[in-house]
Amino acid sequence: MTGPVPELAERATACANRLLEADHVLLASHIDADGLTSAAIAAQALERADIPFETVFKKQLDEDAIAAIADTAYETVLFTDFGSGQLDVIGEYEDAGKLTPIIADHHQPADRETEYHLNPLLFGIDGASELSGAGASYVLARALADAQDGGAAAAADGGTLEAADETTARADNRDLAALAIVGAVGDMQASGGELHGANAGIVEEGVEAGVLETGTDLALYGKQTRPLPKLLEYATDVRIPGISSDEAGALSFLEDLDLELQRDGAWRRWAELTSEEKQTVASALVKRAVSRGVPASKIDQLVGTSYVLCEEPVGTELRDASEFSTLLNATARYERADVGLGVCLGDRGEALEQARTLLRSHRRNLSEGIDLVTREGVTTEEHVQWFHAGDRIRETIVGIVAGMAMGNAGISRSKPIIAFAEKNDEECKVSARGTHSLVGQGLDLSHVMSEASQAVGGDGGGHDVAAGATVPSGHEDEFVARADDIVADQLS
Ligand code: C5P
Ligand code: C5P
Ligand code: C5P
Ligand code: ZN
């Protein structure tokens, strides 16, 4: 068995075998969509392997968080969606015999190794675009099922063919591929409209297992849940004059089409349209974009690959990987990771209802944050642009806001954006976002965040295209100056 990502198979098997030796495991994960789906995948794999475990979530895996983990009664600790970047600190506890780390992560590793370390970057796979934390956890989950060798037996005793397929998918953990794809999409790994590399291999397994469907579709956010006029009005990645950010324009565009797009007085949603209806709306949209002078390269971005969780009901957030990931961010980034985990584990009652309530306020916070940044503008340096939100944007979402504001009036897409928000009286959170095009020119924000923060007594890391840090308050100007110099070097 080589598993879904052959390069990682051997290391994944070693990690799986080590987990099977443990009496019980502490599962520690990160508080965003990728971290939650990572935890949900690992939790189900551990449960199915009869390994007792407990789950904890951390906003950041800093020294205090690692000390608290080392202090628990658990010897074996499974870190998902973080751990690699903190291996320098984790390694000290390992050396002292305080814990055995098993890490399924995709962030830039610190300068130190450990035996059970599953990270695509160690095997020549890009951790920012080819495999997420949830993807690494999925590879581990698949190896765990193989290592138990219960897979074949469970597959053999199925009744009908379909039942046998489903039993097999569960027995070898392939049904968890859907969550892995929600994690990858949540970490914005789909570039140029689709997932690539190892992620594409996981998509294939999910399709075979019957939990995922893919197709070429309109690449707008909200195809499952947004009423059609809102879907078009709020879509701003590709701006179509007279429709984007234009309530009346979006309405009249739809009303002018010769289609029944309302039912019982309410606008229908994209996901409910027939393929003919979709075709008509999409062609009209493209025609309008062309007539308003939107460049062909932008028009191409209107179409992409959709990742549909086909076992979830039509018209719900759970059916679309992108909407699902936003629903999860709406829980975990507001200290309700338990709610998001519940949804991932199948709670369609109370957890889902709470998640939807949290989603409404998350949406409001994002939109208010984006308005604030766009209204007040950014300060532009030679190579970076930045803003300081103080306590007006929550530190856990300031990075999402920065990324979504890029491209708005006055906020360039040709320089990375650095965002500050207050964390507490002594510390500031920093989030940085770039574009794939800047990364192509040499930008590596993980390096920028790590170097510039350490220069002012903080710490940071992440990915080339998106990274973060914590710095002592009062050092923001010095941090920006450092970052500006490092970006200058990278882009020269
Ligand atoms: O912790 P972590 O890996 O999960 O976070 C990734 C973050 O980077 C997400 O918030 C995601 O939106 C952001 N990102 C981005 N643009 C990309 C890739 C990732 O803003 N192209
Ligand atoms: O940074 P993170 O991965 O959490 O961002 C989620 C992404 O989902 C945003 O960058 C944005 O593209 C999309 N989104 C959106 N509308 C929302 C919420 C999220 O387009 N209301
Ligand atoms: O928090 P934010 O969304 O800006 O994080 C962007 C990326 O940087 C994430 O992948 C996150 O895990 C990483 N990060 C980090 N160290 C920090 C803060 C963020 O590695 N101190
Ligand atoms: Zn991640």
Side-chain angles (χ1 to χ4, degrees), residues 30 32-35 38 80-82 105-107 127 131-134 183-184 186-187 189 463:
H30 195 203
D32 65 2
D34 191 33
S38 299
T80 59
D81 195 35
F82 57 22
D105 190 8
H106 66 132
H107 291 94
L131 197 70
S132 67
D187 261 11
Q189 297 206 329
H463 309 292

Side-chain angles (χ1 to χ4, degrees), residues 186 188 221 226 326 329 333 363 366 400 404:
M188 316 259 307
Y221 179 86
R226 280 184 176 158
T326 304
N329 276 322
R333 293 188 190 251
R363 285 223 167 108
L366 289 182
I400 304 180
M404 291 176 76

